[in-house]
Amino acid sequence: MRKSGGYDREKLADVPTGLLAAQNLVVERSDLVARALFTFQSGGPGFADCLIAELNGAAGAVETVTIDGKAKTSTHFVPLA
């Protein structure tokens, strides 16, 4: 959505922020979604990558392998070599 839709990070972050704030909606693993959102808003990888890293970490993974250029710079990811 950022590339093809022209949305910036702030606008994209509004979606999960709104979902987390909704009173009539239950977000599974909302703590991990909130942490992924914080990482995303801090200029890290894309939100989906941040969420994948949080979910993998909660499952016991130390690192997540990636081919994504932005994710490679995060401490949660290692590049596929």
Side-chain angles (χ1 to χ4, degrees), residues 1-3 5-19 36-47:
M1 287 178 61
R2 186 174 50 192
K3 290 179 182 177
Y7 296 101
D8 61 11
R9 281 181 177 268
E10 184 177 327
K11 193 67 173 170
L12 291 174
D14 287 346
V15 174
T17 299
L19 292 172
L37 181 59
F38 177 79
T39 303
F40 173 69
Q41 289 175 308
S42 300
F47 178 72

Side-chain angles (χ1 to χ4, degrees), residues 21-80:
Q23 295 297 315
N24 57 346
L25 183 69
V26 175
V27 176
E28 184 177 353
R29 304 302 303 261
S30 60
D31 57 329
L32 300 180
V33 174
R35 287 180 16 195
L37 181 59
F38 177 79
T39 303
F40 173 69
Q41 289 175 308
S42 300
F47 178 72
D49 291 315
C50 294
L51 183 56
I52 289 166
E54 290 295 338
L55 292 169
N56 288 350
V62 177
E63 300 169 319
T64 299
V65 176
T66 185
I67 59 170
D68 183 86
K70 186 78 171 180
K72 289 181 196 178
T73 62
S74 173
T75 58
H76 297 292
F77 293 93
V78 292
L80 179 66

